[in-house]
Amino acid sequence: MNPKSLHNLTVIPFFIIGITSFLMGFAWMFSSEPWMLDEYANTILLKESYKNLFAHPVNENLPQYLTLLYRFFGLWVSTIGMLITSFTIVTRLGTTMARGFIQVSFFITLICISIIEYIFIPSSHFVYFTFVLWILWGVSVLAGLKLKKYDI
């Protein structure tokens, strides 16, 4: 495979991850009931439906609290997406160091996410999303390793 194709296979996965993170964060920030976007995972953890949870008088302000938490979470996810996209665009992952830093950072992050999902929400749809992230990461790493022989 030629170096340009390998370079694209190194960069594009992280660009996709960055844009996807940015958009997912926006969904959590601007949804009227953001906790419903991952209702299935939350009800697995809570072992209770939101209807029952909100019905108790002690939880009267819980929807406002959850909205605040998810707005902050959405902002955080969008910010991470912007940082990934910015780093990818600015560096174009053109050096072994740039590729190495982002790939190692993602490796650690994906390991931690996978462990958390396995322990707390093994039947959530987020497991499939994480699997796609692993594939994107793997494509970038393999292309980056092959690209290494063309580096100066």
Side-chain angles (χ1 to χ4, degrees), residues 30 58 134 139 143:
F30 294 109
V58 71
W134 274 110
V139 167

Side-chain angles (χ1 to χ4, degrees), residues 41-58:
N42 289 336
T43 53
I44 290 171
L45 281 171
L46 296 170
K47 295 180 177 65
E48 180 103 43
S49 73
Y50 281 116
K51 185 177 179 181
N52 290 340
L53 194 62
F54 294 154
H56 299 288
V58 71

Side-chain angles (χ1 to χ4, degrees), residues 53-79:
L53 194 62
F54 294 154
H56 299 288
V58 71
N59 294 334
E60 178 181 341
N61 294 318
L62 187 57
Q64 291 87 351
Y65 179 71
L66 288 174
T67 299
L68 172 67
L69 286 178
Y70 273 94
R71 297 269 189 269
F72 179 76
F73 178 68
L75 177 63
W76 176 77
V77 171
S78 284
T79 301

